[in-house]
Amino acid sequence: MSVKRRSQFNIIIAVFVLLTALFITVITYFAAFALTVILGAIDVTDVDTATVDQGIFNLLRFMVAFIIFGYWYHRIGFTENELEKRKINAKAALKFIVHPLRLLFLILLGVAIQLGTDGILYVLSNSFPAYFESYKEMITEFAGNRSVLYLITVIVLSPIIEELIFRGLVLHYARNAFSSRRGLIVANIFQALLFALYHGNLIQGVYAFIFGLLLGYITIKTDSLVINILLHMIINGSLYIIPGNLFGDNLSAVLISAVSLSVIFLSVVYLSFAISSKLSTYSDIG
């Protein structure tokens, strides 16, 4: 197979990964609806209450996705050397994040990302309310659901599955497709773009793209999903600990966002330096 055809093939497979994830979402949505009806949680004759239990829906789709994409991810490292290298990198990443200072910076980074994003969106939503109406309704519903099952799926399961899909599989195929000198940069942009499309709306897609670039960068630097998953969990969890009335006006939102962006910059610089200097040492020891 020629280099060009191999590149095209890997791009097609990467897109197929995204389509598979979307297909799983659709199928499990209807399965969750049926299960919710069977459990008697809704009355299908009442339009206002005939909705899917989001906790059950998330649990079903993430379980199915984990089985399919977990097996898929395992199979792309089909040689003993590749599997052993993946285990060593995962152990090195675990050793890296148990250090108190590095863990602190990782937590600061995750919370700052959520705070900065919320602040910027607050200002934009006040400036362009018509464009944010449906988004604000979605986020209100998202943040307002505090059932234990829903919180577990959003904070714990969602980061694992999304990292497995996009930084595990999509980035793998994108790196195979773009093997030029600047291939890593292009591959990272490509997986972040598919990650943005996966979220299904423009506003979420924009910050998911930026967030995806950072997670892709971490994956490339560490050759592991461990740090990504933890950071993703912190970001998702931060949504539920940040007060909804934190931003009283545009000025306070701008100030908080500015501080958050500064924390993000410092945390990324520190963690990048720490990864470069420490992670290779742990891998050598492993």
Side-chain angles (χ1 to χ4, degrees), residues 13-39:
I13 296 298
V15 173
F16 181 72
V17 172
L18 171 64
L19 295 177
T20 303
L22 295 175
F23 178 75
I24 290 171
T25 299
V26 173
I27 294 300
T28 53
Y29 180 86
F30 288 107
F33 184 84
L35 183 58
T36 307
V37 172
I38 292 172
L39 294 174

Side-chain angles (χ1 to χ4, degrees), residues 39 66 83 89 113 135 140 159 190 200 215 224 227 234 236 270:
L39 294 174
F66 182 77
L83 290 174
N89 289 335
I113 287 174
Y135 172 78
T140 300
F190 182 75
L215 291 171
S224 170
I227 297 176
I234 294 168
N236 283 13
Y270 170 78

Side-chain angles (χ1 to χ4, degrees), residues 105-272:
F105 268 95
L106 201 62
I107 293 172
L108 287 174
L109 176 58
V111 175
I113 287 174
Q114 187 65 61
L115 266 176
T117 302
D118 287 350
I120 292 170
L121 291 177
Y122 178 87
V123 174
L124 291 176
S125 65
N126 288 338
S127 303
F128 310 98
Y131 295 98
F132 281 80
E133 185 175 346
S134 60
Y135 172 78
K136 290 175 74 173
E137 290 178 0
M138 179 189 68
I139 292 299
T140 300
E141 180 180 355
F142 184 80
N145 193 332
R146 301 291 177 121
S147 70
V148 174
L149 180 59
Y150 185 75
L151 290 176
I152 291 173
T153 57
V154 169
I155 298 173
V156 179
L157 298 184
S158 177
I160 295 173
I161 301 306
E162 290 183 0
E163 292 310 307
L164 186 62
I165 294 171
F166 294 97
R167 264 62 65 179
L169 289 169
V170 173
L171 183 58
H172 167 80
Y173 290 113
R175 291 175 72 170
N176 288 344
F178 305 108
S179 56
S180 63
R181 184 177 180 182
R182 298 181 179 178
L184 287 179
I185 296 175
V186 178
N188 195 23
I189 293 172
F190 182 75
Q191 68 81 21
L193 178 60
L194 294 194
F195 184 53
L197 293 174
Y198 175 75
H199 284 77
N201 66 83
L202 179 61
I203 296 171
Q204 262 192 308
V206 171
Y207 63 75
F209 174 76
I210 299 171
F211 176 34
L213 288 175
L214 174 61
L215 291 171
Y217 169 75
I218 294 173
T219 301
I220 292 169
K221 291 279 287 184
T222 65
D223 203 19
S224 170
L225 301 179
V226 173
I227 297 176
N228 287 18
I229 290 172
L230 179 57
L231 177 59
H232 204 147
M233 287 179 178
I234 294 168
I235 294 172
N236 283 13
S238 297
L239 178 65
Y240 295 94
I241 63 174
I242 295 173
N245 58 351
L246 178 64
F247 308 109
D249 51 45
N250 283 352
L251 179 59
S252 64
V254 170
L255 290 175
I256 292 173
S257 296
V259 173
S260 298
L261 291 175
S262 299
V263 172
I264 291 170
F265 175 77
L266 292 174
S267 299
V268 169
V269 170
Y270 170 78
L271 290 170
S272 296

Side-chain angles (χ1 to χ4, degrees), residues 36-108:
T36 307
V37 172
I38 292 172
L39 294 174
I42 61 174
D43 179 3
V44 293
T45 62
D46 188 344
V47 177
D48 294 328
T49 61
T51 57
V52 172
D53 183 294
Q54 290 298 310
I56 294 176
F57 168 50
N58 281 345
L59 183 62
L60 281 178
R61 69 179 174 126
F62 291 146
M63 286 176 58
V64 173
F66 182 77
I67 293 170
I68 293 174
F69 293 117
Y71 177 77
W72 194 340
Y73 181 66
H74 176 75
R75 292 302 300 168
I76 62 174
F78 51 87
T79 69
E80 289 297 325
N81 287 339
E82 288 170 329
L83 290 174
E84 186 61 28
K85 182 181 178 182
R86 189 177 294 169
K87 291 178 183 178
I88 291 173
N89 289 335
K91 290 179 181 178
L94 284 171
K95 289 180 181 179
F96 177 86
I97 60 178
V98 295
H99 186 278
L101 185 59
R102 293 193 286 269
L103 180 58
L104 174 63
F105 268 95
L106 201 62
I107 293 172
L108 287 174

